[in-house]
Amino acid sequence: MFLNKLKLLIFFIQTINHSICEVDLNNITFQHLETLRMEYRNIMQDILQNHPYYIKRKNGVKYCPVPYSHAVDNEEVPYEGIEIINRELKYVVKNCVYEKKYALAYIIILNAIESIGLTYMYRFCEFAIEMNKKGASISDHLKEFSNNLHYKIIPIFNREWISPIPYDCILNVYKKHERNHENYKFTNVDEVYMSDLLDCKNLMKEKVNFISEFKNNITMDDLVMTQDYNNINIKRLLPNDFSGFKRIVGYKNQTLCTGCTDMRYSGTVRVIHIFLPCRHGWSCQYCNVLNNQCPVCHERITGTQVIQIETPTRIIKKGFLSLQPRCFFDGREARCISCRSQIKDVNPPNKYVMIPCGHGWYCSICIDSAICTKCETKFEDKLCVNL
């Protein structure tokens, strides 16, 4: 009994430590680096390749770009004498620690993660194009690809602020063509479909193979074998003790709670509130009841509405990933959780949440649904949010 309680206590402490992890992108510490290294220890033995995107050279100095979808103070970090080509990632990190270059090591790990995820998506696009040329169905492979996006790659990209634009492109392709091919069985040669996938490949081509080389295959058996290996290989990216939420500060356009402006709660809270009736926001759960008037338009506040933002992450079945509050202030376009369309393409391009559940985003066409796509709560009203 005591042993079980001890195990439970240790698990609870570990869970708390994961859940409150906070990283200041402008002040990466050894502890930040060590936590990241342990979370992604399954890729630490990978060998880094000479790469024109991840190893940039300007005026004789090597730089590595940062992969963030958010604007930060430094968009690149100098290598400053650290050798990485043909070396295992763990030894590169070790050398950075010895030189106390924690930010550099942190970014190198994130670049490796980005390249692994994008290489996986790139290879699938290549696989899908070649299979379509042969008139072969990929429905089963597409299901596994969709699951890997939903459970592995997109949660990591969202957690680490890695740009998900190539994924959005692929989601658009399969949404566009789902009606042309029953149950996503692409058995006929479709030039438009292949061209759309090629556009997605072009978004990723500069970032693939930081870890390993990829060679094109010709025969059907080789194509299938390569994709099966691709599915197995990507599983090592997500550790068993992975926590999907991380507090990150350092966003240049960081939006504070409009009520308390307390840096402790900036972008770190999951429950956020929009002021009623003006629909401005946002406010954290700690102070929303303390406001008498909207700090934006000064209209009297009669109440607040909790909003819970989700984004589609599966191709085959409807699956959703929670977005951190700051994600709908950055450059990424919002996507409707009902029709999966990017809201910028819908007229009018307004973002709605459903009342009373507060789930969104819904586009202006889908918001009048009878029940919520996410939780199946009955529709009572809608709220167009003015962020």
Side-chain angles (χ1 to χ4, degrees), residues 144-157:
E144 188 164 9
F145 175 72
S146 179
N147 285 335
N148 283 334
L149 290 178
H150 179 74
Y151 290 113
K152 299 180 180 67
I153 298 176
I154 301 307
I156 290 175
F157 277 27

Side-chain angles (χ1 to χ4, degrees), residues 187-233:
T187 55
N188 300 319
V189 176
D190 187 333
E191 297 289 344
V192 177
Y193 163 68
M194 289 191 290
S195 177
D196 289 341
L197 284 176
L198 182 60
D199 289 340
C200 298
K201 281 184 58 183
N202 288 335
L203 291 174
M204 299 178 275
K205 64 181 181 180
E206 291 185 347
K207 299 182 179 181
V208 300
N209 300 328
F210 189 29
I211 296 297
S212 59
E213 296 294 332
F214 172 60
K215 298 180 180 179
N216 292 324
N217 294 277
I218 300 176
T219 69
M220 181 85 71
D221 288 342
D222 283 342
L223 282 170
V224 173
M225 185 180 301
T226 300
Q227 183 55 30
D228 288 342
Y229 172 76
N230 203 19
N231 288 325
I232 295 172
N233 191 44

Side-chain angles (χ1 to χ4, degrees), residues 7 12 21 24 27 71 78 82 86 88 96 111 130 142 151 214 222 272 284 314 332 334-335 357 364 369 376 385:
K7 289 181 179 179
F12 177 77
C21 177
D24 182 351
N27 184 29
I82 300 295
N86 296 326
E88 288 188 17
C96 289
N111 283 342
E130 293 301 320
L142 187 59
Y151 290 113
F214 172 60
D222 283 342
I272 60 178
C284 69
R314 281 191 184 176
R332 183 181 181 186
R335 189 179 288 276
C357 64
S364 52
S369 303
E376 299 186 351
V385 178

Side-chain angles (χ1 to χ4, degrees), residues 336 339 341 343 346 350 352 361-368:
C336 175
C339 69
S341 296
I343 292 178
V346 180
N350 294 329
Y352 289 88
W361 298 116
Y362 283 93
C363 69
S364 52
I365 297 175
C366 297
I367 184 57
D368 294 322

Side-chain angles (χ1 to χ4, degrees), residues 2 4 40 43 58 105 123 134 144 162 177 213 273 283 309 320 344 349 367 373:
F2 173 78
N4 289 335
Y40 298 101
I43 67 171
K58 294 191 306 184
R123 289 179 176 179
K134 299 176 184 297
E144 188 164 9
I162 297 173
H177 291 277
E213 296 294 332
H273 298 255
S283 171
I309 305 307
F320 308 101
K344 67 174 183 176
I367 184 57
T373 300

Side-chain angles (χ1 to χ4, degrees), residues 78-172:
Y79 277 111
E80 300 176 303
I82 300 295
E83 294 296 328
I84 72 168
I85 300 173
N86 296 326
R87 303 199 66 191
E88 288 188 17
L89 181 56
K90 64 180 180 182
Y91 292 123
V92 173
V93 171
K94 183 177 180 180
N95 287 347
C96 289
V97 170
Y98 180 78
E99 298 289 339
K100 296 185 178 181
K101 302 183 187 301
Y102 307 130
L104 174 60
Y106 196 91
I107 297 303
I108 291 174
I109 295 175
L110 291 186
N111 283 342
I113 293 169
E114 178 185 49
S115 183
I116 291 172
L118 294 185
T119 301
Y120 173 76
M121 288 188 274
Y122 183 93
R123 289 179 176 179
F124 180 82
C125 290
E126 183 76 19
F127 165 75
I129 290 171
E130 293 301 320
M131 291 293 276
N132 191 259
K133 288 180 181 178
K134 299 176 184 297
S137 173
I138 62 165
S139 59
D140 290 338
H141 295 283
L142 187 59
K143 290 178 183 177
E144 188 164 9
F145 175 72
S146 179
N147 285 335
N148 283 334
L149 290 178
H150 179 74
Y151 290 113
K152 299 180 180 67
I153 298 176
I154 301 307
I156 290 175
F157 277 27
N158 183 59
R159 179 182 191 262
E160 307 297 348
W161 281 8
I162 297 173
S163 175
I165 290 176
Y167 154 76
D168 284 335
C169 178
I170 295 172
L171 192 62
N172 284 339

